[in-house]
């Protein structure tokens, strides 16, 4: 899921949180608000590869998710005819250009990756305490982004009811979201992105599961998900042999397309749709909200997202994460430690 989700989620991390404090419906109202009220998120109406052939709406992210905002480029200043020397508007075109926070600023880029901004939440004025730490703001940002459309919410709910046992205790559950396939270097998946990491052997996942069991003998369940069916099946066999007392929870009906590049699904999984990939991925995310302990690799934006969301919105308290491998990404440190 990484290739598709990383491109969709990353821009949100740097600027969509403005919506959480923007209690206005148009620019006229925004002009009367505080400094935070001047931050307007422009909705991206570009085609979303995973929405190709959407049966529920436009072929954008709004096929699956609620709109981020009603604001459009036509709502902002006429920057195309603005005086380059104007002190009221500043146009940034390069990622390394710095904001002048005293003037209205527009940043635009064709890059699929967002520009990194230090102290990205300082504009909120909330400070960094237990209630408004970076991880809480990041998780809130992700939760806002993942507000699914009613049809998808219904689909995910049905899958969760089918997959989650009624007696599952999150405090006694391990989550193992395995990210492999095209994430691994030297993979041979045609049409997919190059591998980014040396994928840890499944034995490393098993080793950490055993360490959790030694730490907390009350653990009863392990939730295992992956886009890579072969890796998932292999790990399940190892669990059955090495830890037969653990109850294994799976995402029944998961497409397991064998790649993070869901936009080219038709090349990998016969008879499946992009909508099924999205439903599968989000079902896995919600399943892992029922775990306290995690074994993952934070090089994956997707598994880091799971850990961040579990720390803030999960059903268990005091989440603990084993990150296997010297990896990092945009919010890997939040996934591993959960600190501000």
């Amino acid at each position: 899921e990484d290739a598709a989700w990383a491109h969709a989620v990353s821009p949100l991390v740097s600027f969509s949180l403005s919506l959480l404090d923007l209690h206005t419906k148009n620019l006229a109202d925004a002009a009367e608000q505080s400094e935070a009220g001047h931050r307007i998120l422009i909705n991206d109406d570009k085609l979303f590869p995973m929405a190709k052939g959407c049966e529920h709406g436009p072929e954008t992210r709004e096929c699956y998710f609620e709109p981020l905002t009603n604001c459009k480029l036509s709502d902002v200043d006429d920057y195309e005819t603005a005086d380059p020397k104007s002190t009221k508007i500043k146009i940034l075109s390069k990622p390394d250009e710095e904001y002048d926070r005293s003037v209205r600023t527009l940043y635009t880029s064709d890059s699929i990756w967002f520009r990194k901004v230090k102290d990205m939440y300082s504009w909120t004025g909330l400070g960094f305490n237990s209630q408004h730490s970076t991880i809480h703001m990041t998780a809130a940002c992700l939760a806002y982004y993942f507000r699914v459309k009613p049809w998808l919410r219904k689909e995910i709910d049905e899958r969760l009811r089918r997959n989650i046992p009624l007696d599952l205790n999150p405090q006694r559950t391990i989550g193992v979201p395995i990210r492999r396939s095209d994430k691994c270097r030297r993979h041979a998946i045609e049409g997919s992105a190059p591998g980014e990491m040396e994928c840890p052997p499944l034995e490393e996942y098993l080793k950490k599961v055993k360490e959790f069991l030694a730490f907390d003998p009350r653990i009863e369940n392990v939730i295992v998900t992956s886009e890579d069916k072969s890796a998932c099946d292999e790990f399940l066999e190892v669990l059955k042999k090495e830890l037969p007392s653990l109850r294994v929870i799976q995402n029944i009906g998961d497409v397991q397309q064998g790649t993070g590049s869901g936009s080219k699904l038709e090349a990998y999984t016969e008879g499946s749709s992009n909508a099924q990939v999205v439903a599968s991925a989000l079902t896995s995310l919600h399943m892992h909200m029922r775990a306290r302990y995690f074994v993952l690799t934070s090089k994956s934006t997707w598994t880091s997202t799971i850990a961040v969301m579990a720390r803030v919105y999960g059903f268990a308290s005091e989440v603990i994460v084993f990150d296997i491998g010297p990896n990092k990404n945009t919010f890997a440190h939040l996934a591993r430690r959960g600190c501000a």
Side-chain angles (χ1 to χ4, degrees):
E1 295 93 351
D2 277 315
W5 292 118
H7 300 172
V9 173
S10 293
L12 188 73
V13 177
S14 60
F15 59 86
S16 75
L17 275 169
S18 58
L19 294 177
L20 299 179
D21 198 54
L22 182 60
H23 306 296
T24 58
K25 294 184 179 180
N26 55 56
L27 292 175
D29 291 336
E32 299 176 3
Q33 300 299 313
S34 63
E35 181 179 352
H38 287 270
R39 289 179 169 269
I40 308 296
L41 174 66
I42 304 303
N43 200 24
D44 184 358
D45 58 358
K46 292 183 179 180
L47 296 182
F48 183 31
M50 293 188 72
K52 182 169 53 179
C54 177
E55 297 180 358
H56 304 277
E59 292 186 327
T60 67
R61 66 172 297 280
E62 291 180 21
C63 173
Y64 307 111
F65 305 104
E66 296 293 348
L68 293 175
T69 175
N70 292 325
C71 296
K72 301 177 182 179
L73 278 173
S74 58
D75 296 320
V76 302
D77 299 295
D78 186 8
Y79 63 92
E80 291 183 346
T81 60
D83 183 353
K85 299 180 180 180
S86 172
T87 59
K88 297 182 178 180
I89 180 172
K90 171 66 176 177
I91 302 173
L92 306 183
S93 59
K94 298 180 181 179
D96 58 350
E97 288 188 73
E98 290 301 322
Y99 288 112
D100 179 352
R101 297 179 184 273
S102 66
V103 300
R104 189 172 305 225
T105 305
L106 180 66
Y107 171 72
T108 180
S109 173
D110 291 328
S111 172
I112 58 176
W113 301 106
F114 68 105
R115 75 179 292 238
K116 295 183 179 180
V117 180
K118 293 182 179 179
D119 299 326
M120 63 180 70
Y121 305 127
S122 61
W123 60 268
T124 65
L126 294 174
F128 293 97
N129 53 49
S130 60
Q131 296 300 313
H132 299 110
S133 64
T134 298
I135 189 171
H136 281 81
M137 296 298 287
T138 301
C141 169
L142 292 167
Y144 184 86
Y145 184 92
F146 285 131
R147 294 172 304 123
V148 296
K149 290 293 185 72
W151 70 268
L152 183 53
R153 184 184 305 118
K154 180 175 181 293
E155 175 69 22
I156 295 170
D157 181 68
E158 291 175 353
R159 291 176 181 234
L160 289 173
R161 292 177 185 275
R162 183 167 65 242
N163 295 332
I164 302 294
L166 293 177
D167 63 345
L168 183 141
N169 184 345
Q171 290 293 118
R172 301 181 180 182
T173 302
I174 302 173
V176 185
I178 301 173
R179 179 68 174 95
R180 291 175 76 84
S181 62
D182 62 342
K183 195 71 173 177
C184 306
R185 289 174 181 160
R186 296 179 297 279
H187 71 74
I189 302 174
E190 184 179 352
S192 191
E196 297 180 296
M197 59 178 281
E198 297 291 342
C199 287
L202 295 178
E203 289 76 13
E204 285 296 313
Y205 286 89
L206 178 65
K207 177 182 177 182
K208 294 304 181 183
V209 169
K210 289 181 176 180
E211 289 184 26
F212 273 135
L213 285 168
F215 172 75
D216 185 355
R218 301 175 303 164
I219 291 173
E220 304 169 337
N221 316 289
V222 57
I223 299 172
V224 181
T225 63
S226 179
E227 88 294 341
D228 189 329
K229 186 178 187 303
S230 61
C232 190
D233 290 347
E234 183 180 342
F235 189 65
L236 293 175
E237 286 299 316
V238 172
L239 285 175
K240 185 186 300 183
K241 178 181 178 181
E242 299 282 340
L243 301 168
S245 63
L246 275 183
R247 178 170 57 175
V248 177
I249 314 298
Q250 295 179 256
N251 184 355
I252 306 301
D254 191 346
V255 172
Q256 292 185 304
Q257 70 276 13
T259 175
S261 300
S263 58
K264 295 187 177 182
L265 173 73
E266 65 279 359
Y268 310 113
T269 309
E270 184 177 355
S272 295
S273 66
N274 285 311
Q276 289 173 315
V277 172
V278 173
S280 294
L282 292 178
T283 298
S284 291
L285 183 149
H286 280 277
M287 289 177 65
H288 285 295
M289 296 302 101
R290 276 83 175 167
R292 179 188 181 191
Y293 306 103
F294 287 91
V295 182
L296 52 80
T297 170
S298 67
K299 181 64 175 177
S300 163
T301 303
W302 178 243
T303 56
S304 288
T305 295
I306 289 173
V308 168
M309 294 291 283
R311 288 188 180 280
V312 178
Y313 297 116
F315 289 80
S317 60
E318 299 180 349
V319 168
I320 302 175
V321 174
F322 270 141
D323 181 13
I324 51 177
N327 308 308
K328 64 179 181 178
N329 73 0
T330 305
F331 36 81
H333 63 294
L334 298 179
R336 285 194 295 265
R337 301 191 297 272
C339 58

